[in-house]
Amino acid sequence: MEKHLIPPHGGTLVDLMVGPEREAELKRESRDWPSWDLTARQALDLELILNGALSPLTGYLTRDNYESVLDSMRLSGGTFWPWPIVLDVSEPFADTVSDSEGSAITLRDQEGVMLAVLSVTDIWHPDRDEELEKLFGADAAGEAAARDFAALTHPVYLGGKVEGVQLPIHYDFPELRATPRDLRSRLGRRGWRRTLSFDTRSPIHRPDLESTRRAARRTDTNLLLQPTVGETAKEDLDHYTRIRCYKEAATHYPHQTTILSLLPAPTRRAGVRELLLQALLRKNYGATHFMFRPNANLVNGEERELTPQRHEVERAFARYADELAIEYTPFEEVVYLADRDVFVPAEEAAGNGRAMTLSEHQVRNRLHDGREIPDWFSFPEVVAELVKTYPPRSKQGFTVFFTGLSGSGKSTVANALFAKLLQLGGRPVTLLDGDIVRKNLSSELGFSREHRDINILRIGFVASEITKNRGIAICAPIAPYDHTRGAVREMIEPLGGFVLVHVNTPLAVCETRDRKGLYAKARAGIIKEFTGISDPYEEPEDAELVIDTTDLSPEEAVHKLLLYLSNQGYIEANGMPAV
Ligand code: PPS
């Protein structure tokens, strides 16, 4: 161990990976043990336990340690420890584990690969209300985070020592995933005695580069860009894009002054306690200083600060300064002064009307609308990565979802739209017509409410995959139920566009057309549960477009649709065919 580096928490860097002999023994013995498949969040915790990032823990907290941590942020032996690391499991699983001495379980990843063995010494039901209050506090932000945490956490806790067989596998960016041991030896080789670990959940743009370089100068440290890449919230940038952005941004720091290394940790939005834990993790990786970029998230369309107030953080870090040993370094926001082409601390620029900055949300909006990200704000390579992930609407995927009675003209208009969109070119187009789907994807289904729902959700799933991958899906089932159409909308909207088209040709017209002779059969009672005759059709109230084909030709209907898509930015207006 490099002597001049900061000592790990508790004095020794734990390594829980076993040698080949013990591994073979554990694999043999584990055949009769219950297996727990770790959730993504649990796999992150386990990785940090196994690789020593959670030193001095040698497994999951026992019950007395858990209670002590909850009450006083200390392990029962007195070591400072802010957050309870326990394994949460379901009731039925807990029933299969006996709490007698020596009962062991196998911990596996989602694919069933054996990662570790837990020798269970404690099994208990936590008092959830008490736990949430102590961990998350009582303010509104804490409350929302606590709800999410509770929803993701199983009701029974297990504690005991862990032996590692295999570190969780990451196929992406392995070169950026140093263990605490690896990173410490790297810092040692470079002779870095003072290292500032910087955490951020958003991409690094020019102001962040400026802030971090200033902070490193202020604290006389070298810079470790150590973003947390664990699970992400729904509204976050996916971690592949984030990491590609970090790699690009890292090249803009002066050579040899900065290291980029990922921290595979879950994010619980749990305020000060979580930040204290984050600091300990980073200390175990060899950092002497810890800085994070305050995190704002969109809550009901408004940007809301999620990290606790600066004075609260400072107070907590000051209180435990000796035991933490790693120092807290506040993040100083900078703003851009265009007339001088410089960044200055936001405080210095107070009152200067020309000071410029962009929030994460504003960046996202600009990308969404296909507007430019200015050069003063970011690096071209980082912007290029973001544009790949947040293409403007004209390059996003979308779904046009027709709904309406049998014979209303859905299929005809859908087919005409299909042809026009192919003629326009640029994106792959898939037509999921009701009949085609029922012949292939849903061939075993009938027309009960349950079967219709399964059918529509299948169509929705396929359309969502197409939309996600930037294609165009055109669906044309009857889809008679509002609730199910809503579920499809929810599936697709986060991935691209969703346009619900109600083809509301009146029943009488559909029945008169009766191309397939089905209405006659339905009236005669030969076909049961026929939509509009003996089965309900719930008219949509949320359709983006309503068309009635009684007096509208397919060409006219398609023109209406193309106009809508072009106004919304999904297709380029100049490609619009003339009527
Ligand atoms: S649903 O409700 O969305 O699952 O229906 P969908 O998959 O679009 O299938 C509708 C086509 O199936 C034929 N058909 C029936 N429709 C409604 N009710 C009953 N009971 C029924 N039995 C058969 C009918 O031809 C529909 O085709 P379209 O193209 O809509 O006329």
Side-chain angles (χ1 to χ4, degrees), residues 406-407 410-411 434-435 438 447 452 455-456 477-480 516 518 527-531:
S406 171
K410 297 182 304 288
S411 298
D435 277 351
R438 281 203 171 259
F447 289 89
R452 287 181 199 257
N455 180 40
I456 299 307
I478 296 179
K516 302 179 188 163
L518 296 175
I527 302 179
K528 305 266 177 302
E529 297 177 315
F530 195 84
T531 308

Side-chain angles (χ1 to χ4, degrees), residues 26-27 48 77 80 97 104 109-111 199 265 389 422 426 556 577:
L26 288 174
K27 284 195 166 155
L48 297 171
F80 173 70
V97 187
D109 69 10
Q110 305 270 313
E111 273 76 52
D199 185 22
T389 303
L422 283 175
E556 287 166 324

Side-chain angles (χ1 to χ4, degrees), residues 125-145:
H125 283 80
D127 177 336
R128 184 70 80 211
D129 292 340
E130 185 193 342
E131 176 185 61
L132 295 181
E133 201 200 308
K134 288 192 172 150
L135 296 180
F136 291 86
D139 61 359
E143 228 174 74

Side-chain angles (χ1 to χ4, degrees), residues 125-397:
H125 283 80
D127 177 336
R128 184 70 80 211
D129 292 340
E130 185 193 342
E131 176 185 61
L132 295 181
E133 201 200 308
K134 288 192 172 150
L135 296 180
F136 291 86
D139 61 359
E143 228 174 74
R147 258 200 315 277
D148 291 352
F149 174 85
L152 288 172
T153 311
H154 298 95
V156 189
Y157 285 178
L158 304 184
K161 287 201 186 311
V162 165
E163 289 175 274
V165 171
Q166 151 94 59
L167 281 174
I169 305 163
H170 298 283
Y171 295 106
D172 55 321
F173 306 101
E175 73 284 6
L176 297 178
R177 296 176 185 277
T179 63
R181 226 166 228 86
D182 298 338
L183 197 59
R184 280 176 167 265
S185 72
R186 208 163 146 202
L187 300 181
R189 280 201 306 279
R190 288 214 185 172
W192 288 16
R193 283 161 194 258
R194 294 166 64 85
T195 302
L196 171 62
S197 165
F198 173 58
D199 185 22
T200 176
R201 313 235 149 114
S202 37
I204 293 174
H205 300 291
R206 282 187 201 277
D208 307 288
L209 176 126
E210 191 65 27
S211 292
T212 48
R213 290 192 59 193
R214 281 165 183 261
R217 274 203 299 274
R218 212 167 56 230
T219 52
D220 188 22
T221 51
N222 284 291
L223 192 61
L224 171 62
L225 302 175
Q226 200 178 21
T228 313
V229 290
E231 332 141 274
T232 28
K234 233 187 1 222
E235 61 280 1
D236 284 352
L237 183 59
D238 73 277
H239 88 265
Y240 299 99
T241 310
R242 273 176 65 209
I243 298 171
R244 285 200 305 273
C245 289
Y246 294 136
K247 282 185 86 162
E248 294 297 348
T251 64
H252 289 267
Y253 286 86
H255 193 53
Q256 292 285 322
T257 63
T258 308
I259 291 177
L260 168 64
S261 186
L262 310 177
L263 185 70
T267 41
R268 300 172 164 108
R269 299 192 280 128
V272 173
R273 277 190 189 240
E274 186 177 23
L275 291 170
L276 291 167
L277 180 75
Q278 281 277 340
L280 291 185
L281 287 172
R282 287 153 204 275
K283 174 169 78 167
N284 285 335
Y285 277 90
T288 53
H289 292 68
F290 170 46
M291 177 167 80
F292 62 88
R293 190 185 200 287
N295 213 16
N297 260 9
L298 268 195
V299 180
N300 300 333
E302 275 173 43
E303 285 196 53
R304 219 166 65 187
E305 199 78 357
L306 287 178
T307 24
Q309 300 286 321
R310 181 162 159 180
H311 68 266
E312 261 184 83
V313 180
E314 280 174 356
R315 202 177 328 122
F317 274 79
R319 182 161 169 206
Y320 299 105
D322 289 348
E323 294 163 285
L324 279 166
I326 181 168
E327 266 177 53
Y328 165 63
T329 307
F331 181 85
E332 308 284 1
E333 199 86 48
V334 296
V335 290
Y336 183 67
L337 298 180
D339 41 1
R340 287 166 45 204
D341 189 26
V342 287
F343 286 97
V344 296
E347 284 162 20
E348 267 176 43
N352 184 333
R354 298 258 182 85
M356 298 199 288
T357 188
L358 284 178
S359 73
E360 186 63 7
H361 182 49
Q362 288 168 325
V363 172
R364 188 87 60 107
N365 278 345
R366 280 175 179 253
L367 292 166
H368 196 273
D369 302 344
R371 281 184 289 150
E372 230 173 74
I373 306 294
D375 283 346
W376 63 264
F377 182 75
S378 194
F379 312 102
E381 310 88 343
V382 172
V383 174
E385 289 299 340
L386 291 173
V387 170
K388 273 197 235 161
T389 303
Y390 296 118
R393 272 191 169 176
S394 62
K395 299 216 162 56
Q396 287 173 25

